[in-house]
Amino acid sequence: MDAAEFRRRGKEMVDHVADYLEKIEERPVYPDVEPGYLRSLIPTEAPVEPDSYEDIMKDVERVIMPGAASPACTELETVMLDWLGKMLQLPECFLAGTHGHGGGVIQGTASEATLVSLLAARCKAIRRVQLLDPKKSEAEILSKLVAYTSEQAHSSVERAALIGAVMMKKVPTDSLYAVRGEMLKKILEEDKAAGLIPFYFCATLGTTPSCAFDHIADLGPLCNQENMWMHIDAAYAGSAFICPEFRPLLNGVEYADSFNFNPHKWMLINFDCSAMWVKKRTDIIGAFKMEPLYLKHENQESGLVTDYRHWQIPLGRRFRSLKMWFVFRMYGLQGLQAHIRKQVGLAKEFESLVRADKRFEICAPVVMGLVCFRLKGTNELNQSLLKKITKSREIHLVPCQLSGSFVLRLAICSRSTEFRHIQQAWQHITQLAFELLQEHHH
Amino acid sequence: MDAAEFRRRGKEMVDHVADYLEKIEERPVYPDVEPGYLRSLIPTEAPVEPDSYEDIMKDVERVIMPGAASPACTELETVMLDWLGKMLQLPECFLAGTHGHGGGVIQGTASEATLVSLLAARCKAIRRVQLLDPKKSEAEILSKLVAYTSEQAHSSVERAALIGAVMMKKVPTDSLYAVRGEMLKKILEEDKAAGLIPFYFCATLGTTPSCAFDHIADLGPLCNQENMWMHIDAAYAGSAFICPEFRPLLNGVEYADSFNFNPHKWMLINFDCSAMWVKKRTDIIGAFKMEPLYLKHENQESGLVTDYRHWQIPLGRRFRSLKMWFVFRMYGLQGLQAHIRKQVGLAKEFESLVRADKRFEICAPVVMGLVCFRLKGTNELNQSLLKKITKSREIHLVPCQLSGSFVLRLAICSRSTEFRHIQQAWQHITQLAFELLQEHHH
């Protein structure tokens, strides 16, 4: 949708909202639909090619309005997460379908998804240990539980353990900043020998510092064998798995208990929208369920409806699946794949520019839209370069630390980034580097 | 703003967004402002009378755009929470100002505010006990910590304790469903004698079932004396405290460590927007602080900026203070007060209608926009009445249980509710009650 069409459609939408409010008294107070009404009204998969905007707006009246607000809000979310799960080729067990035990939910951020998975795992582990040894108190078990994640994992993972009041240990990574099965196995053996209870591993696909990929196909069987919950945090990289050429990086997801990524990061859906799937919805519900009278409803024991309030930290919910529905249909699967491929292509172009300049080095494999690079030389030199870049206010780079090196990161993320921006950014960086190196020589 | 003006302003806004996107390359990449730049650009308090829409949009360009996105997003939030705190006449210690130790933050929901306060209290309590007795392990202390709340409190409070892995006890209420100081005191004495460590009390102003108000002016000094964190959950009722006639219900807030209410519930601000204040921001930050390199920034040690990521569960944030700013200015304090008063007036009208009908009874004082009522008679009779009401799909009532009685609740919450709707609702209810009682007689 270009700016001209946005102006037209946006103004139609303003009228649509005003009409709705002006005629609200003509609308029914209560929806007159049965649980599960929505699924049969829309296709079972996202379109491959774009739908027209007119068709989407017609469906708002046909599909959403009869079930406004809560049933439609809940049911569209379940079906959209199935659509998205199919785009990613997630194993069937993660989909809700009409009879599945798994399913998806929209969280606000990956931090919340990680926390929810850790809390579900904590609850499950405590119950399992108490079943074997009923005399053990909850407090005693809690003090022995250990969660694990990569030393390269996002800080929110450690924070989830802090909130959940459980120990968390960092697993070392290989030369490409990824966790391998044997590294986790070694720590598990030591910890079990010390009487601790490993219960949770958070794998990362696409780490924040360098977009590294933990070896989940090795880690998954290990976690299953050890009765540990494996959560996969693919916050950034997850969007790329809709492209067949990137999907192999997700192999091993079949061993996971939960999987999460942020369509708001790289799938053209506005913040916030973090998609999370679980294999067994009873695991996650069991950790939080509270049923006061004012939240009871007719269908809650029927198994036909999803009470998402048990799947998340907040109680209230926004209608976030609408924006998924619009984006999936406006772009179609092919349009979204083209977006990912274009941005990876731009990152590769930038990588070539860096590699062609002998003063610079690439610091980690460029797999997706992130390029980690630095001036050959000291950390101080690179810190000075970043300071110059930041001070000139032309581009925005966020640094990281890799194997003790201070590294610059160029991330392609805006929908409107083109090759000329990449060229401009590189020209700008090399100009500042030139000035910096001149200063150093004098 | 009526529908006609909404159409006009909405379409202007669509053009504004399209213009912004079309000319985005002319905008600076980095804001060129100093920390704290925003406060001096806008008034120190919300307007009493409405501002014009034109003036607000001019300020978007003048105040927000130079600091887009993150500094403006953060700084507007801090100042808006100060504005709102002043509307509520919160004690100075809860305001950020330019040198305060407290301040406000926008959470998504009251559930999150409760959880954040409980986690901060947990961290503070563990540190305090360890300071006195360094040999005590964190696990040991955690197992002794007890949080308290009213038996009438919202289920999300109990859920917060579940997440935080601490015990929670329910305090009995008086005949008006409110907790009094002596009730909490009695339990505290018993628990301390049993070696437990009381550390947190969540008071409710405006309970979900009946809109009851805990006696915070008695409870506060008790909590202070016992080194317990007092959090006040006024999710629904808090909006009314902007009216001087309701403000006395908030007396005692000066003893609290944190206070929260939901402007999205009753202050014309769209979901989600839950306002939370703390007296000591270091308490809340200390419980969560994580500082990886990719989240470090130049000003974080300066004390001039607020890192809201340490104040909440998610890491990412939306620009929610914008909607506060628009609503406060479009209505002015007087407009918001008029909204509250009108809705309380409507509830009182409904109460009169109920009281005038001898078949019905009022079950709790009508203080704000909630009326708790029932047919005199059995719970079964009232359950049948609610079933009839729900089945006819004309109005939406959510029940509660008060002292063993099944009670119907009429809540005034829509901006567009008028006296005629109240009359229609009552006619509808009495008609169905008439039919029900006829059936019972035959």
Side-chain angles (χ1 to χ4, degrees):
Chain A
M1 187 181 277
D2 60 15
E5 198 190 351
F6 176 81
R7 286 178 205 273
R8 186 171 138 224
R9 300 307 189 185
K11 288 168 190 177
E12 284 173 14
M13 186 62 89
V14 167
D15 278 326
H16 189 86
V17 171
D19 290 346
Y20 176 82
L21 290 175
E22 282 190 315
K23 293 177 190 160
I24 190 135
E25 294 196 40
E26 296 167 21
R27 300 258 179 192
V29 172
Y30 252 41
D32 187 10
V33 295
E34 293 298 314
Y37 86 97
L38 187 142
R39 190 176 284 271
S40 62
L41 297 180
I42 65 174
T44 54
E45 288 183 36
V48 174
E49 302 199 19
D51 284 347
S52 77
Y53 186 82
E54 282 85 357
D55 284 345
I56 300 174
M57 284 306 293
K58 269 183 218 157
D59 282 349
V60 169
E61 197 55 50
R62 183 181 67 89
V63 176
I64 303 301
M65 288 305 170
S70 185
C73 172
T74 297
E75 296 196 10
L76 186 66
E77 185 162 330
T78 307
V79 179
M80 283 307 103
L81 273 287
D82 275 3
W83 277 23
L84 185 53
K86 287 175 190 173
M87 287 191 227
L88 298 168
Q89 298 181 46
L90 282 187
E92 185 84 20
C93 53
F94 285 104
L95 306 181
T98 47
H99 294 88
H101 298 290
V105 60
I106 303 177
Q107 305 281 0
T109 60
S111 308
E112 290 163 87
T114 306
L115 176 58
V116 165
S117 69
L118 181 132
L119 294 173
R122 185 185 76 180
C123 176
K124 205 177 171 183
I126 290 173
R127 285 183 195 163
R128 195 186 60 240
V129 177
Q130 279 192 325
L131 207 65
L132 294 170
D133 187 353
K135 275 176 296 182
K136 271 205 177 128
S137 75
E138 208 170 302
E140 197 184 340
I141 301 168
L142 197 64
S143 71
K144 304 281 185 209
L145 293 181
V146 196
Y148 303 83
T149 196
S150 165
E151 61 179 16
Q152 295 286 322
H154 192 270
S155 58
S156 56
V157 181
E158 198 177 340
R159 202 161 174 264
L162 198 66
I163 292 171
V166 291
M167 239 180 290
M168 173 156 273
K169 299 200 174 185
K170 300 289 185 71
V171 186
T173 54
D174 64 15
S175 62
L176 295 176
Y177 311 108
V179 174
R180 294 177 171 276
E182 64 258 36
M183 293 156 165
L184 178 60
K185 197 174 166 60
K186 188 168 166 284
I187 305 186
L188 293 184
E189 296 308 327
E190 290 167 13
D191 285 351
K192 284 191 295 177
L196 297 175
I197 308 169
F199 80 106
Y200 176 87
F201 174 64
C202 177
T204 312
L205 295 181
T207 59
T208 307
S210 68
C211 200
F213 294 80
D214 289 346
H215 293 246
I216 55 170
D218 296 338
L219 290 158
L222 177 62
C223 290
N224 289 178
Q225 187 187 312
E226 299 287 344
N227 261 321
M228 290 166 69
W229 183 293
M230 181 162 88
H231 174 67
I232 298 174
D233 171 11
Y236 162 68
S239 298
F241 302 148
I242 62 169
C243 300
E245 66 271 31
F246 293 116
R247 179 57 179 75
L249 289 165
L250 188 57
N251 288 347
V253 66
E254 60 273 21
Y255 302 109
D257 296 282
S258 52
F259 168 72
N260 167 253
F261 84 99
N262 292 348
H264 68 231
K265 271 210 165 72
W266 204 14
M267 212 180 238
L268 300 165
I269 295 172
N270 282 341
F271 185 80
D272 50 6
C273 181
S274 183
M276 179 189 194
W277 290 264
V278 290
K279 219 181 240 172
K280 282 191 200 160
R281 57 170 89 186
T282 47
D283 283 346
I284 205 161
I285 294 168
F288 298 113
K289 208 168 180 175
M290 298 266 158
E291 298 282 19
L293 183 57
Y294 49 82
L295 294 178
K296 274 210 190 334
H297 54 81
E298 267 195 347
N299 297 302
Q300 66 187 9
E301 303 306 336
S302 72
L304 286 168
V305 301
T306 306
D307 267 342
Y308 277 128
R309 64 189 155 96
H310 301 308
W311 295 51
Q312 58 175 22
I313 306 296
L315 182 64
R317 318 195 78 236
R318 279 169 295 131
F319 203 154
R320 290 181 290 207
S321 56
L322 272 181
K323 59 189 177 188
M324 284 188 147
W325 198 37
F326 272 67
V327 169
F328 294 162
R329 297 183 66 184
M330 291 295 291
Y331 281 85
L333 176 58
Q334 283 182 351
L336 294 171
Q337 288 171 334
H339 163 71
I340 297 286
R341 285 170 182 149
K342 177 178 171 183
Q343 298 219 322
V344 176
L346 291 172
K348 297 276 187 193
E349 300 269 15
F350 187 81
E351 180 190 10
S352 304
L353 294 170
V354 177
R355 285 197 190 277
D357 189 323
K358 292 278 175 284
R359 296 169 300 176
F360 286 88
E361 59 189 350
I362 292 288
C363 311
V366 178
V367 183
M368 296 187 172
L370 178 72
V371 184
C372 290
F373 68 105
R374 68 196 299 276
L375 273 170
K376 291 170 185 166
T378 65
N379 284 350
E380 292 65 34
L381 185 69
N382 282 283
Q383 281 159 351
S384 301
L385 178 58
L386 182 62
K387 263 192 196 145
K388 265 183 179 291
I389 292 169
T390 303
K391 210 171 158 192
S392 71
R393 300 183 192 282
E394 291 267 320
I395 60 171
H396 184 194
L397 299 187
V398 173
C400 75
Q401 196 96 29
L402 290 175
S403 310
S405 287
F406 187 88
V407 170
L408 308 185
R409 292 159 69 258
L410 183 117
I412 315 286
C413 34
S414 164
R415 183 177 57 88
S416 52
T417 303
E418 300 291 345
F419 181 55
R420 65 186 167 86
H421 299 113
I422 300 301
Q423 281 178 306
Q424 281 165 19
W426 180 240
Q427 263 167 23
H428 181 67
I429 293 166
T430 48
Q431 175 62 34
L432 296 179
F434 175 77
E435 290 170 19
L436 181 69
L437 294 170
Q438 288 271 316
E439 288 160 27
H440 267 248
H441 279 289
H442 297 300
Chain B
M1 185 180 277
D2 60 16
E5 198 190 350
F6 176 81
R7 287 178 205 273
R8 188 172 136 223
R9 300 308 189 184
K11 290 168 191 177
E12 285 172 13
M13 185 62 87
V14 167
D15 277 327
H16 189 87
V17 172
D19 291 346
Y20 176 82
L21 290 174
E22 281 189 317
K23 294 177 191 161
I24 190 133
E25 294 195 42
E26 296 167 21
R27 302 257 177 194
V29 173
Y30 252 41
D32 187 12
V33 295
E34 291 299 313
Y37 86 98
L38 186 141
R39 191 176 285 271
S40 63
L41 297 179
I42 64 174
T44 55
E45 290 184 35
V48 174
E49 302 198 21
D51 284 347
S52 77
Y53 186 81
E54 282 86 356
D55 284 346
I56 301 174
M57 283 307 292
K58 269 184 222 156
D59 282 349
V60 168
E61 197 55 49
R62 184 181 65 91
V63 176
I64 303 301
M65 288 304 171
S70 185
C73 172
T74 297
E75 296 196 11
L76 186 66
E77 185 163 330
T78 307
V79 180
M80 284 305 104
L81 273 286
D82 274 3
W83 277 23
L84 184 52
K86 287 176 188 171
M87 287 192 225
L88 299 169
Q89 298 182 45
L90 282 188
E92 187 82 20
C93 54
F94 286 104
L95 306 182
T98 47
H99 294 89
H101 299 290
V105 60
I106 303 177
Q107 305 280 1
T109 60
S111 308
E112 289 163 86
T114 306
L115 176 59
V116 165
S117 69
L118 180 132
L119 295 173
R122 186 186 74 179
C123 177
K124 204 177 173 183
I126 290 173
R127 285 182 195 165
R128 195 186 59 238
V129 175
Q130 279 191 326
L131 207 66
L132 294 170
D133 187 354
K135 274 175 297 182
K136 270 202 177 133
S137 75
E138 208 170 302
E140 196 184 341
I141 301 168
L142 196 64
S143 72
K144 304 282 185 207
L145 293 181
V146 196
Y148 303 84
T149 195
S150 164
E151 60 178 18
Q152 295 286 322
H154 192 271
S155 57
S156 56
V157 181
E158 198 177 339
R159 203 161 173 265
L162 199 66
I163 293 171
V166 291
M167 240 180 289
M168 172 155 274
K169 298 199 175 185
K170 300 288 186 70
V171 185
T173 54
D174 65 15
S175 62
L176 296 177
Y177 310 109
V179 174
R180 293 176 170 278
E182 64 257 37
M183 293 156 166
L184 178 59
K185 196 173 166 62
K186 188 166 166 288
I187 306 186
L188 293 183
E189 295 309 326
E190 290 167 11
D191 285 351
K192 285 192 296 178
L196 298 175
I197 308 168
F199 80 105
Y200 177 85
F201 174 65
C202 176
T204 312
L205 296 181
T207 59
T208 307
S210 69
C211 200
F213 293 81
D214 289 345
H215 294 245
I216 55 171
D218 296 339
L219 291 157
L222 177 62
C223 289
N224 289 177
Q225 187 186 314
E226 299 287 344
N227 261 322
M228 290 166 68
W229 184 293
M230 181 161 89
H231 175 67
I232 298 175
D233 171 11
Y236 162 68
S239 297
F241 303 148
I242 62 169
C243 301
E245 66 272 31
F246 292 116
R247 178 56 179 76
L249 289 165
L250 189 57
N251 288 347
V253 67
E254 60 273 20
Y255 302 109
D257 296 281
S258 52
F259 168 73
N260 165 253
F261 85 100
N262 291 349
H264 67 232
K265 272 213 166 70
W266 203 15
M267 211 179 238
L268 300 166
I269 296 169
N270 282 341
F271 187 78
D272 49 8
C273 181
S274 183
M276 179 189 195
W277 289 264
V278 290
K279 218 182 242 173
K280 282 192 201 159
R281 56 171 89 186
T282 47
D283 282 345
I284 206 160
I285 294 169
F288 298 114
K289 209 168 179 176
M290 298 266 158
E291 299 282 18
L293 181 58
Y294 49 82
L295 295 177
K296 274 211 192 329
H297 55 83
E298 267 196 345
N299 297 301
Q300 64 187 11
E301 305 306 337
S302 72
L304 284 168
V305 300
T306 306
D307 266 343
Y308 277 129
R309 65 190 155 95
H310 300 310
W311 296 51
Q312 59 175 21
I313 305 296
L315 181 64
R317 317 196 79 235
R318 279 170 293 132
F319 203 155
R320 289 179 291 206
S321 57
L322 272 181
K323 58 188 176 187
M324 283 188 147
W325 198 37
F326 272 67
V327 169
F328 294 163
R329 297 183 67 183
M330 291 295 290
Y331 281 85
L333 177 58
Q334 285 182 351
L336 294 171
Q337 288 171 333
H339 163 70
I340 298 285
R341 285 171 182 148
K342 177 179 170 181
Q343 298 219 321
V344 176
L346 292 173
K348 297 277 187 192
E349 300 269 15
F350 187 81
E351 180 190 10
S352 303
L353 293 170
V354 177
R355 285 199 191 276
D357 189 325
K358 291 279 175 283
R359 295 168 301 176
F360 285 88
E361 59 189 351
I362 292 289
C363 310
V366 177
V367 183
M368 296 187 173
L370 179 71
V371 184
C372 290
F373 68 105
R374 69 196 301 275
L375 272 171
K376 290 171 185 164
T378 64
N379 283 351
E380 289 69 32
L381 185 70
N382 282 283
Q383 281 161 349
S384 300
L385 177 58
L386 182 63
K387 261 190 197 149
K388 264 182 180 291
I389 292 170
T390 303
K391 211 171 157 191
S392 71
R393 301 183 192 281
E394 291 267 318
I395 60 172
H396 184 194
L397 299 187
V398 174
C400 75
Q401 197 98 27
L402 290 175
S403 310
S405 287
F406 187 88
V407 169
L408 306 186
R409 293 159 68 259
L410 184 118
I412 314 286
C413 35
S414 165
R415 183 178 58 88
S416 53
T417 303
E418 299 291 344
F419 182 55
R420 67 188 165 86
H421 300 112
I422 300 301
Q423 281 179 307
Q424 280 164 20
W426 180 241
Q427 262 168 22
H428 181 66
I429 293 166
T430 49
Q431 175 62 33
L432 295 179
F434 175 76
E435 290 170 21
L436 180 69
L437 293 170
Q438 288 271 315
E439 289 161 25
H440 266 248
H441 279 291
H442 297 300

